[in-house]
Amino acid sequence: MPTLRPHDLLWLTDREALEGVREEWIASQWRPALPVVVRRDVERDGRVPVGVRGMRRDQRAAGWVSTASVKRVVSPEALSSRELLLNSPFVSMPPVQGAIQLASRPWAWCWGITGSVGYALATEVPVMHAASDLDVLIRSPQPIAKEALTEWQSLTGRLLCRVDTQIETPYGAFALAEWLREKRVLLKTNQGPLLVTDPWLPEKNG
């Protein structure tokens, strides 16, 4: 089993594998053929924190799963494959067209697709629409120069859809647009949000 990270999509062995959820809509909206998504939280008794998505925007639930109940994992990076995007049934939609443009350029970092677009690409369930945002994640174990990320942000700003880029550091994730604009940025960690000046060295922030 690979190390599970936030935004990974997980397929479970059965309904009973999903623990700690009480929302009534789950019985009709979720089944093991549909993935859950790893969310950011502190692991509890060896359980992985996950989120469950329904067909409506307001249908979201938090739960827990055991790694022994995970039978398949798809990472955001796997969904940014140009071949996968070109063969998607949603290829004509602006968010997928935008992702194809990003996938057609060489980048010095790994990136992937999350949110409704990632879920739709992985499942072929039509949870995105023409006006959906394209949520992307850039893996950044080491700091990336602002100039390089400004080039990425400039390109995404010219696409036919709105793009929300999150940068994932070893400590958590932050919004690229906010980091390029502000001196401090909100870093989302497993223990909660932190306002920091250096998201790669948050322990040095006051």
Side-chain angles (χ1 to χ4, degrees):
M1 171 68 62
T3 299
L4 300 178
R5 300 182 290 185
H7 301 291
D8 282 347
L9 294 172
L10 313 180
W11 280 258
L12 308 180
T13 52
D14 50 48
R15 280 187 174 274
E16 288 66 38
L18 181 59
E19 304 172 16
V21 289
R22 298 178 178 84
E23 286 80 356
E24 293 182 358
W25 59 263
I26 289 178
S28 61
Q29 294 282 318
W30 183 81
R31 58 191 187 278
L34 297 173
V36 296
V37 61
V38 178
R39 59 185 174 83
R40 214 175 291 281
D41 202 341
V42 178
E43 289 193 13
R44 187 174 65 186
D45 300 323
R47 299 297 195 266
V48 177
V50 298
V52 188
R53 172 188 286 270
M55 291 299 291
R56 299 203 316 261
R57 286 180 67 101
D58 63 330
Q59 291 177 328
R60 302 288 186 271
W64 304 84
V65 301
S66 164
T67 55
S69 300
V70 178
K71 64 178 184 179
R72 182 186 174 206
V73 181
V74 171
S75 69
E77 290 90 333
L79 301 173
S80 63
S81 156
R82 189 169 184 271
E83 181 178 359
L84 180 147
L85 294 165
L86 288 170
N87 289 293
S88 167
F90 308 113
V91 66
S92 64
M93 288 197 171
V96 179
Q97 284 292 308
I100 290 170
Q101 287 187 254
L102 291 173
S104 300
R105 294 274 298 270
W107 301 103
W109 48 75
C110 294
W111 68 281
I113 302 173
T114 64
S116 62
V117 178
Y119 189 92
L121 289 169
T123 63
E124 298 190 356
V125 175
V127 293
M128 72 163 154
H129 49 81
S132 290
D133 291 353
L134 174 60
D135 297 319
V136 298
L137 176 69
I138 291 176
R139 303 284 185 191
S140 181
Q142 301 295 328
I144 300 174
K146 277 195 173 183
E147 293 79 9
L149 289 172
T150 298
E151 179 185 356
W152 168 281
Q153 191 75 347
S154 176
L155 175 58
T156 61
R158 299 194 299 271
L159 299 180
L160 296 176
C161 61
R162 182 181 180 276
V163 180
D164 178 13
T165 301
Q166 296 282 313
I167 308 294
E168 183 87 23
T169 80
Y171 300 95
F174 63 90
L176 174 59
E178 182 184 356
W179 186 60
L180 293 175
R181 185 178 63 245
E182 308 289 346
K183 291 183 178 180
R184 306 183 80 187
V185 70
L186 196 67
L187 182 69
K188 292 177 285 187
T189 77
N190 288 348
Q191 291 75 34
L194 296 172
L195 191 61
V196 302
T197 54
D198 186 344
W200 287 273
L201 292 171
E203 70 276 8
K204 293 188 177 181
N205 290 266

